[in-house]
Amino acid sequence: MKSKVCIVTGTSSGIGKATAIGLAKLDATVVAVMRDSDKSRAALQEIKSKSGKADSVVHLAADLSSQKSIRELVKEFNSRFDRLDVLLNNAGVSQFHRVLSTDGIEMTLAVNVLAPFLLTSLLTDKLISSAPSRIVNVSSAASNNAKIDFDNLRGEKEFSSFGIYGQSKLALNLITVEFSRRLAGTGVTANFLHPGVIRTELGTRGMNPLFKALAAFVKLFMASPEKGARTSIYLASSPDVEGVTGKYFANQKQVTANPISFDEEAAKRLWKVCEEMTGFSISPQPAKIN
Ligand SMILES: NC(=O)c1ccc[n+]([C@@H]2O[C@H](COP(=O)([O-])OP(=O)(O)OC[C@H]3O[C@@H](n4cnc5c(N)ncnc54)[C@H](OP(=O)(O)O)[C@@H]3O)[C@@H](O)[C@H]2O)c1
């Protein structure tokens, strides 16, 4: 991965932090996207020291629930980097209660769907000019049995934590496959993955102390963040998946996704919603460069 530039979002903990360490160890330049916080600064130091690559890991600060912050992030990235080989949309949330972002959007939709849509859209030109390049989206097996309810995308009609999370990850699958269609022939691939059931902070933020103690016990049986990072690192770096696009992976293998992930009508409808909610889209057929 020498001379490759990889953006990884959500590297302050869990799978994202382990992914950043893994990619830096492979000699990539890692742009670690995290909020501006003490936790992020500590994570940056850990990524640098554990990878042994202090000079090739850079922190760019962004709150991915804020579209203004995403736009500023891209501006900053473009002013500092002239290429982008891998965009790894890893950051994600699972909310107990319906919470709104600073943009007034339900948080799961804002972070798990609209953020990767907007960030990828804003960076598409960079990915095309750096091709062959890769978009890697961290989805979840929670999408496997999920459905999309276009009347409840914002969780207004009904909010169940697992239901909204599964729907958001299925929406991410649809968007990933749609990016793969729109970017066909450009040398940019887009794939999505389930990292496994991994011992991280996901789903335990904001828990009361009793549930947190129970969760800590359950986590003893979960896999490590390093194991959770393997498929992300594989999709970002392996020659085995050069040119492979629009597919779902787990355990570093292609697996069967919820068939709704490939539903073109649903993808078009969702794409329109994302365009309306972010005010941005890539052109349907970018110029072919190879
Ligand atoms: N753990 C699992 O078993 C599992 C299973 C399937 C899929 N996944 C997916 O794996 C990905 C990584 O999650 P994880 O398990 O490693 O959980 P995690 O430890 O909670 O990490 C989530 C990361 O996303 C970041 N993030 C969340 N909201 C953000 C925002 N508004 N702006 C910037 N960064 C934000 C967090 O930063 P802060 O610390 O600043 O909040 C953190 O770095 C997620 O997409 C998740 O859905 C996880």
Side-chain angles (χ1 to χ4, degrees), residues 12-13 15 35 39 63-64 90 165 169 198 200 205:
S12 68
S13 63
I15 298 162
R35 290 182 229 256
K39 180 184 173 189
D63 174 353
L64 297 166
N90 164 81
Y165 178 73
K169 291 299 187 180
I198 308 300
T200 68
R205 290 156 200 253

Side-chain angles (χ1 to χ4, degrees), residues 12 22 43 56 116 126 133 135 146 164 215 228 241 264-265:
S12 68
S56 50
K126 197 73 137 197
S133 53
I135 300 161
I164 287 292
V241 285
E264 291 194 39
E265 282 314 306

